[in-house]
Amino acid sequence: MTDTLIAPRGVHSSPADPQASQQTPDTPAGAELEHAPMGWRRRALRFGVLTSVVALLGGAAALLPLQSIADSVLALGPAAAVAIAVVGGLLLSVLVPRTAITLACGALLGPATGAATALAAAVIAAIATYYAGRWAGRGALGAKNGSRLKRLDGWLNRRGLAAVLLVRFLPLAPYGLIGYAYGTTSVCRKRYLLGTTLAAIPSAVSYAVIGAAVASPGSLNPVTLAPALIGFALTTTIVLRWRLAARRAAATTPAPATA
């Protein structure tokens, strides 16, 4: 004999909760909290902390005996390039001009090793400043709907890699400051890092070659200057093409209708 379960009369099984059925196990429990907008007080506090740290480190960098440090680093031998890349990345993060860092890399390590070291320093600084800016003010650029900053954030996000290349090629602001600013946008970090690396290659090669030539004037010849000239020509071509495309877009955009 088989036992069966009979529901009492008048009692019916209720359907599954519609809200529970809409929940998916793939959604992490803290996803909403992770993407929640940061309050302006918390953002202002983090921004103040970041600004103070950068200012203090920048002031300390200006007082350091850089020549003595460079001599000590060069005494490390093969590890000197790694040490210079790390120190250069930190200096770029506290808004030391990238041109000076790249010239120093070329003068200390020669054109080839100096260019690779300068590029590594640029990538280190790009990563550090991006994540520091993200910690301090993620979403700040698009926090206010309808504002110019909101539209700028949308343009940067839509353009993606092209926008990163453009901003990095144009001398708009110090290298480290652009990294902090990008951290506050919604631009994908992979596109940001790829665009930053690609844009840093021509200038890294150019200024490293010039720095090496200044340190060793006898090695200055047309072949040595060729990478610098190619990098300068590439940067100029990209900027001019962007300006031409911007003018064409402005010419084809219809004027707003007037009442």
Side-chain angles (χ1 to χ4, degrees):
M1 181 176 180
T2 305
D3 294 335
T4 59
L5 295 177
I6 304 175
R9 183 178 298 177
V11 179
H12 304 282
S13 59
S14 59
D17 187 1
Q19 295 181 354
S21 62
Q22 293 176 359
Q23 295 178 353
T24 58
D26 297 333
T27 303
E32 292 82 0
L33 296 177
E34 182 181 356
H35 297 286
M38 188 187 303
W40 68 269
R41 292 183 179 180
R42 186 178 179 186
R43 186 181 291 124
L45 176 61
R46 290 189 175 189
F47 179 78
V49 171
L50 180 60
T51 303
S52 301
V53 170
V54 172
L56 289 174
L57 293 179
L63 299 176
L64 290 175
L66 297 181
Q67 183 61 45
S68 301
I69 294 176
D71 295 338
S72 301
V73 170
L74 289 177
L76 297 176
V82 178
I84 292 176
V86 174
V87 173
L90 294 177
L91 292 176
L92 289 174
S93 300
V94 296
L95 309 185
V96 174
R98 181 166 174 253
T99 302
I101 300 296
T102 310
L103 288 172
C105 288
L108 294 173
L109 302 173
T113 306
T117 304
L119 180 61
V123 173
I124 291 173
I127 295 173
T129 55
Y130 177 83
Y131 281 104
R134 214 155 186 79
W135 173 81
R138 180 176 183 177
L141 200 62
K144 187 176 179 181
N145 293 329
S147 65
R148 292 184 178 179
L149 293 179
K150 178 73 174 182
R151 293 193 294 270
L152 176 60
D153 182 71
W155 181 84
L156 292 173
N157 195 19
R158 288 192 305 271
R159 297 291 181 176
L161 180 62
V164 177
L165 288 170
L166 174 62
V167 173
R168 282 302 190 185
F169 273 121
L170 294 176
L172 301 175
Y175 185 87
L177 187 60
I178 293 178
Y180 291 121
Y182 257 108
T184 66
T185 68
S186 58
V187 175
C188 172
R189 63 179 179 272
K190 293 182 180 179
R191 295 177 181 176
Y192 162 77
L193 293 176
L194 177 60
T196 299
T197 303
L198 293 176
I201 292 175
S203 55
V205 174
S206 302
Y207 289 111
V209 169
I210 294 175
V214 171
S216 301
S219 63
L220 187 63
N221 55 66
V223 177
T224 305
L225 292 178
L229 297 177
I230 293 174
F232 177 77
L234 179 61
T235 303
T236 305
T237 301
I238 291 176
V239 172
L240 292 178
R241 286 179 63 86
W242 171 79
R243 293 187 62 180
L244 181 60
R247 290 179 180 178
R248 289 178 179 175
T252 56
T253 301
T258 57

